[in-house]
Amino acid sequence: PCFPARTPPGLSTVINVDAHNSTWQDFVRFLHAGKGSHVSGMSELKRYFNRFGYLPIPGTDFNDIFDTKFESAVVLYQKNLGLPVTGKLDTDTISAIMSPRCGMSDDASHALHRTRH
Amino acid sequence: FAYFYGKPRWVRGSRKTPMTLTYAFSPSNMIDYLSSSDIRAVFRRAFCRWESVIPVNFTETGNYQSANIRIGFYRGDHGDGEPFDGVLGVLAHAFSPENGRLHLDAAETWTINFKSDKSKVAVDLESVATHEIGHVLGLAHTSVKEAVMYPSLSPRTRKVDLKIDDVKGVQALYGSNPNFKFSSLLALENSFNQA
């Protein structure tokens, strides 16, 4: 008699689906980056910092260089979020950056402040 | 605690009587996997927490257009210039006084009970509602990690109780609810810290 093919237990495949946040999960690659470093894609992190009130919009596009302005932004972010102030993208800072959060800017003057019409 | 630029707050009626602010849910922008009554109960509790510390009453109304605070769940670009970004990332946002808009990202896995919702990315609706109501009242983000007004919230985390930082901030805007006692909040926080 023909029986349906059966997969021996040892050969079964387990697929782990990482259901975590895809929006900012990629920022983990900037871990331990410090002033002067050039990491491809860091402009995205600068856009994040701009969105939440830590970096002004530059005259041209954001670049991938960890410059002095970005270091100041990291320090301000660490102070505002009650993190150890190192000026570096250390574990605590990257972890905080990747955490889900409220969409309001941390710079109160840039918040969604509109009159009702 | 911190305020928005210009320290905007709601100003309604006379200063002698408690202010009443109405709130309503969008008739067309809601989620369907949580019941309407559950969502309403969650927001009722969230409003009650703020109501217990300031002389402001929050009343639900069926008239969405005329409500002071208008609550809805939206996906992606929803027309206010602040598009949502899908699962996690930005969870919600709200506008400062006296605008009244409170928007939640419909793409999140909103939950009211972690015991029954096993999703790794489940977000506690009541915690986010309590935080966003703080913005609606005029509070900006704080650097106090334990406070409700701290900007981030991990999945499967519940943070609904107002801390001293939240209470001091909102009371500086609206005054204190005559029935509120700081000593009870201090005792509660101390017992929590000791535990």
Side-chain angles (χ1 to χ4, degrees):
Chain A
C2 293
F3 292 101
R6 293 172 67 191
T7 309
L11 296 178
S12 61
T13 307
V14 177
I15 299 170
N16 288 314
V17 178
D18 184 6
H20 270 75
N21 174 22
S22 58
T23 312
W24 300 322
Q25 204 68 19
D26 202 29
F27 288 159
V28 74
R29 66 199 167 109
F30 303 125
L31 184 63
H32 303 311
K35 193 177 168 185
S37 58
H38 182 291
V39 187
S40 176
M42 190 167 275
S43 56
E44 278 304 312
L45 187 54
K46 288 186 176 181
R47 264 187 276 279
Y48 173 102
F49 272 76
N50 164 259
R51 175 175 185 177
F52 294 113
Y54 295 96
L55 266 182
I57 299 171
T60 55
D61 267 356
F62 287 114
N63 59 33
D64 291 336
I65 301 166
F66 194 126
D67 51 23
T68 309
K69 278 185 185 172
F70 187 60
E71 185 187 43
S72 304
V74 171
V75 167
L76 184 61
Y77 179 83
Q78 290 169 334
K79 282 180 184 169
N80 273 5
L81 272 85
L83 302 168
V85 179
T86 61
K88 291 175 183 166
L89 295 171
D90 51 32
T91 311
D92 286 340
T93 307
I94 286 291
S95 176
I97 288 169
M98 293 194 309
S99 285
R101 57 164 290 154
C102 171
M104 305 284 278
S105 173
D106 295 341
D107 178 352
S109 62
H110 290 170
L112 308 178
H113 180 199
R114 293 167 198 174
T115 41
R116 182 180 180 184
H117 296 290
Chain B
F1 54 86
Y3 302 115
F4 298 115
Y5 180 72
K7 216 174 167 183
R9 62 185 286 272
W10 291 84
V11 184
R12 287 282 184 283
S14 79
R15 282 181 171 270
K16 288 178 183 173
T17 53
M19 183 195 304
T20 295
L21 295 175
T22 58
Y23 66 93
F25 297 94
S26 167
S28 50
N29 295 287
M30 295 299 279
I31 46 173
D32 54 11
Y33 56 86
L34 292 178
S35 75
S36 171
S37 60
D38 281 344
I39 294 172
R40 288 174 61 209
V42 160
F43 272 88
R44 181 66 245 152
R45 287 198 296 274
F47 278 114
C48 274
R49 289 197 178 85
W50 292 103
E51 206 172 73
S52 68
V53 300
I54 53 173
V56 177
N57 294 324
F58 296 99
T59 309
E60 188 180 346
T61 171
N63 190 338
Y64 180 73
Q65 292 304 329
S66 70
N68 299 126
I69 301 162
R70 296 173 308 287
I71 302 158
F73 293 81
Y74 298 89
R75 204 174 283 272
D77 188 352
H78 52 285
D80 62 7
E82 299 288 331
F84 284 131
D85 52 8
V87 179
L88 300 183
V90 167
L91 304 173
H93 58 226
F95 289 69
S96 58
E98 301 179 82
N99 180 289
R101 277 181 283 179
L102 192 165
H103 296 169
L104 301 125
D105 188 350
E108 306 303 343
T109 306
W110 295 107
T111 188
I112 55 170
N113 184 357
F114 287 127
K115 281 181 186 165
S116 59
D117 193 335
K118 302 293 181 197
S119 167
K120 274 187 189 177
V121 290
V123 179
D124 184 48
L125 180 60
E126 197 167 333
S127 302
V128 176
T130 310
H131 175 97
E132 298 304 330
I133 292 167
H135 286 319
V136 168
L137 288 169
L139 290 178
H141 287 146
T142 182
S143 56
V144 178
K145 275 185 186 170
E146 299 74 25
V148 159
M149 294 314 295
Y150 191 73
S152 65
L153 180 80
S154 299
R156 305 198 67 80
T157 304
R158 188 167 163 83
K159 185 159 71 173
V160 295
D161 294 324
L162 300 184
K163 296 293 183 294
I164 291 171
D165 185 75
D166 304 305
V167 175
K168 280 186 174 172
V170 78
Q171 287 188 339
L173 284 175
Y174 298 94
S176 175
N177 183 321
N179 300 320
F180 172 76
K181 287 188 179 70
F182 243 110
S183 53
S184 55
L185 185 67
L186 274 169
L188 194 70
E189 280 199 20
N190 284 340
S191 64
F192 177 79
N193 290 339
Q194 281 166 11

PDB file of all heavy atoms in Angstrom, chain A residues 56-70:
ATOM      1  N   PRO A  56      18.621  69.798  13.133  1.00  0.00           N
ATOM      2  CA  PRO A  56      17.908  70.623  12.161  1.00  0.00           C
ATOM      3  C   PRO A  56      18.100  70.060  10.747  1.00  0.00           C
ATOM      4  O   PRO A  56      19.041  69.299  10.503  1.00  0.00           O
ATOM      5  CB  PRO A  56      18.588  71.990  12.302  1.00  0.00           C
ATOM      6  CG  PRO A  56      19.940  71.688  12.849  1.00  0.00           C
ATOM      7  CD  PRO A  56      19.833  70.422  13.632  1.00  0.00           C
ATOM      8  N   ILE A  57      17.212  70.412   9.859  1.00  0.00           N
ATOM      9  CA  ILE A  57      17.352  69.955   8.463  1.00  0.00           C
ATOM     10  C   ILE A  57      18.539  70.701   7.851  1.00  0.00           C
ATOM     11  O   ILE A  57      18.616  71.921   7.918  1.00  0.00           O
ATOM     12  CB  ILE A  57      16.071  70.241   7.661  1.00  0.00           C
ATOM     13  CG1 ILE A  57      14.891  69.501   8.289  1.00  0.00           C
ATOM     14  CG2 ILE A  57      16.235  69.853   6.197  1.00  0.00           C
ATOM     15  CD1 ILE A  57      13.550  69.880   7.721  1.00  0.00           C
ATOM     16  N   PRO A  58      19.507  69.939   7.246  1.00  0.00           N
ATOM     17  CA  PRO A  58      20.676  70.614   6.657  1.00  0.00           C
ATOM     18  C   PRO A  58      20.331  71.268   5.320  1.00  0.00           C
ATOM     19  O   PRO A  58      19.256  71.020   4.762  1.00  0.00           O
ATOM     20  CB  PRO A  58      21.651  69.459   6.464  1.00  0.00           C
ATOM     21  CG  PRO A  58      20.777  68.274   6.225  1.00  0.00           C
ATOM     22  CD  PRO A  58      19.528  68.504   7.015  1.00  0.00           C
ATOM     23  N   GLY A  59      21.246  72.076   4.816  1.00  0.00           N
ATOM     24  CA  GLY A  59      21.044  72.717   3.507  1.00  0.00           C
ATOM     25  C   GLY A  59      20.942  71.680   2.413  1.00  0.00           C
ATOM     26  O   GLY A  59      20.138  71.807   1.489  1.00  0.00           O
ATOM     27  N   THR A  60      21.789  70.634   2.509  1.00  0.00           N
ATOM     28  CA  THR A  60      21.711  69.524   1.541  1.00  0.00           C
ATOM     29  C   THR A  60      21.226  68.291   2.310  1.00  0.00           C
ATOM     30  O   THR A  60      20.886  68.384   3.473  1.00  0.00           O
ATOM     31  CB  THR A  60      23.104  69.240   0.940  1.00  0.00           C
ATOM     32  OG1 THR A  60      23.996  69.006   2.029  1.00  0.00           O
ATOM     33  CG2 THR A  60      23.589  70.426   0.117  1.00  0.00           C
ATOM     34  N   ASP A  61      21.224  67.132   1.632  1.00  0.00           N
ATOM     35  CA  ASP A  61      20.770  65.901   2.302  1.00  0.00           C
ATOM     36  C   ASP A  61      21.692  65.526   3.465  1.00  0.00           C
ATOM     37  O   ASP A  61      22.853  65.902   3.490  1.00  0.00           O
ATOM     38  CB  ASP A  61      20.753  64.746   1.291  1.00  0.00           C
ATOM     39  CG  ASP A  61      19.377  64.630   0.658  1.00  0.00           C
ATOM     40  OD1 ASP A  61      18.482  65.385   1.064  1.00  0.00           O
ATOM     41  OD2 ASP A  61      19.232  63.782  -0.235  1.00  0.00           O
ATOM     42  N   PHE A  62      21.164  64.752   4.398  1.00  0.00           N
ATOM     43  CA  PHE A  62      21.994  64.229   5.481  1.00  0.00           C
ATOM     44  C   PHE A  62      23.043  63.285   4.886  1.00  0.00           C
ATOM     45  O   PHE A  62      22.739  62.511   3.984  1.00  0.00           O
ATOM     46  CB  PHE A  62      21.136  63.463   6.484  1.00  0.00           C
ATOM     47  CG  PHE A  62      20.268  64.354   7.336  1.00  0.00           C
ATOM     48  CD1 PHE A  62      18.887  64.317   7.225  1.00  0.00           C
ATOM     49  CD2 PHE A  62      20.839  65.229   8.242  1.00  0.00           C
ATOM     50  CE1 PHE A  62      18.084  65.131   8.013  1.00  0.00           C
ATOM     51  CE2 PHE A  62      20.047  66.054   9.033  1.00  0.00           C
ATOM     52  CZ  PHE A  62      18.669  66.006   8.914  1.00  0.00           C
ATOM     53  N   ASN A  63      24.286  63.341   5.410  1.00  0.00           N
ATOM     54  CA  ASN A  63      25.326  62.415   4.945  1.00  0.00           C
ATOM     55  C   ASN A  63      25.512  61.268   5.948  1.00  0.00           C
ATOM     56  O   ASN A  63      24.801  61.202   6.948  1.00  0.00           O
ATOM     57  CB  ASN A  63      26.649  63.158   4.691  1.00  0.00           C
ATOM     58  CG  ASN A  63      27.137  63.855   5.949  1.00  0.00           C
ATOM     59  OD1 ASN A  63      26.919  63.361   7.060  1.00  0.00           O
ATOM     60  ND2 ASN A  63      27.800  64.997   5.788  1.00  0.00           N
ATOM     61  N   ASP A  64      26.459  60.397   5.661  1.00  0.00           N
ATOM     62  CA  ASP A  64      26.673  59.198   6.485  1.00  0.00           C
ATOM     63  C   ASP A  64      27.825  59.356   7.470  1.00  0.00           C
ATOM     64  O   ASP A  64      28.347  58.360   7.979  1.00  0.00           O
ATOM     65  CB  ASP A  64      26.948  57.985   5.571  1.00  0.00           C
ATOM     66  CG  ASP A  64      25.717  57.577   4.785  1.00  0.00           C
ATOM     67  OD1 ASP A  64      24.599  57.892   5.240  1.00  0.00           O
ATOM     68  OD2 ASP A  64      25.867  56.953   3.716  1.00  0.00           O
ATOM     69  N   ILE A  65      28.218  60.589   7.726  1.00  0.00           N
ATOM     70  CA  ILE A  65      29.372  60.812   8.609  1.00  0.00           C
ATOM     71  C   ILE A  65      28.917  61.177  10.022  1.00  0.00           C
ATOM     72  O   ILE A  65      28.029  62.013  10.205  1.00  0.00           O
ATOM     73  CB  ILE A  65      30.288  61.923   8.047  1.00  0.00           C
ATOM     74  CG1 ILE A  65      30.783  61.526   6.658  1.00  0.00           C
ATOM     75  CG2 ILE A  65      31.472  62.192   8.976  1.00  0.00           C
ATOM     76  CD1 ILE A  65      31.397  62.667   5.874  1.00  0.00           C
ATOM     77  N   PHE A  66      29.516  60.545  11.004  1.00  0.00           N
ATOM     78  CA  PHE A  66      29.242  60.851  12.411  1.00  0.00           C
ATOM     79  C   PHE A  66      30.053  62.113  12.742  1.00  0.00           C
ATOM     80  O   PHE A  66      31.205  62.051  13.158  1.00  0.00           O
ATOM     81  CB  PHE A  66      29.686  59.668  13.283  1.00  0.00           C
ATOM     82  CG  PHE A  66      29.155  59.701  14.694  1.00  0.00           C
ATOM     83  CD1 PHE A  66      28.466  58.607  15.223  1.00  0.00           C
ATOM     84  CD2 PHE A  66      29.342  60.807  15.514  1.00  0.00           C
ATOM     85  CE1 PHE A  66      27.982  58.622  16.529  1.00  0.00           C
ATOM     86  CE2 PHE A  66      28.862  60.833  16.818  1.00  0.00           C
ATOM     87  CZ  PHE A  66      28.182  59.745  17.324  1.00  0.00           C
ATOM     88  N   ASP A  67      29.449  63.280  12.516  1.00  0.00           N
ATOM     89  CA  ASP A  67      30.171  64.541  12.694  1.00  0.00           C
ATOM     90  C   ASP A  67      29.853  65.179  14.058  1.00  0.00           C
ATOM     91  O   ASP A  67      29.128  64.612  14.879  1.00  0.00           O
ATOM     92  CB  ASP A  67      29.837  65.503  11.538  1.00  0.00           C
ATOM     93  CG  ASP A  67      28.340  65.638  11.323  1.00  0.00           C
ATOM     94  OD1 ASP A  67      27.578  65.374  12.282  1.00  0.00           O
ATOM     95  OD2 ASP A  67      27.913  65.996  10.210  1.00  0.00           O
ATOM     96  N   THR A  68      30.398  66.371  14.274  1.00  0.00           N
ATOM     97  CA  THR A  68      30.237  67.046  15.566  1.00  0.00           C
ATOM     98  C   THR A  68      28.771  67.359  15.873  1.00  0.00           C
ATOM     99  O   THR A  68      28.319  67.212  17.008  1.00  0.00           O
ATOM    100  CB  THR A  68      31.058  68.356  15.567  1.00  0.00           C
ATOM    101  OG1 THR A  68      32.382  68.045  15.146  1.00  0.00           O
ATOM    102  CG2 THR A  68      31.107  68.983  16.944  1.00  0.00           C
ATOM    103  N   LYS A  69      28.048  67.822  14.850  1.00  0.00           N
ATOM    104  CA  LYS A  69      26.623  68.157  15.063  1.00  0.00           C
ATOM    105  C   LYS A  69      25.836  66.917  15.477  1.00  0.00           C
ATOM    106  O   LYS A  69      24.952  66.983  16.330  1.00  0.00           O
ATOM    107  CB  LYS A  69      26.022  68.732  13.771  1.00  0.00           C
ATOM    108  CG  LYS A  69      26.318  70.198  13.563  1.00  0.00           C
ATOM    109  CD  LYS A  69      25.584  70.706  12.342  1.00  0.00           C
ATOM    110  CE  LYS A  69      25.980  72.149  12.082  1.00  0.00           C
ATOM    111  NZ  LYS A  69      25.444  72.636  10.795  1.00  0.00           N
ATOM    112  N   PHE A  70      26.165  65.799  14.845  1.00  0.00           N
ATOM    113  CA  PHE A  70      25.459  64.570  15.169  1.00  0.00           C
ATOM    114  C   PHE A  70      25.813  64.105  16.586  1.00  0.00           C
ATOM    115  O   PHE A  70      24.944  63.639  17.326  1.00  0.00           O
ATOM    116  CB  PHE A  70      25.788  63.479  14.140  1.00  0.00           C
ATOM    117  CG  PHE A  70      24.974  62.229  14.316  1.00  0.00           C
ATOM    118  CD1 PHE A  70      23.596  62.263  14.230  1.00  0.00           C
ATOM    119  CD2 PHE A  70      25.580  61.013  14.587  1.00  0.00           C
ATOM    120  CE1 PHE A  70      22.838  61.106  14.413  1.00  0.00           C
ATOM    121  CE2 PHE A  70      24.839  59.860  14.766  1.00  0.00           C
ATOM    122  CZ  PHE A  70      23.461  59.912  14.673  1.00  0.00           C
TER     123      PHE A  70
END
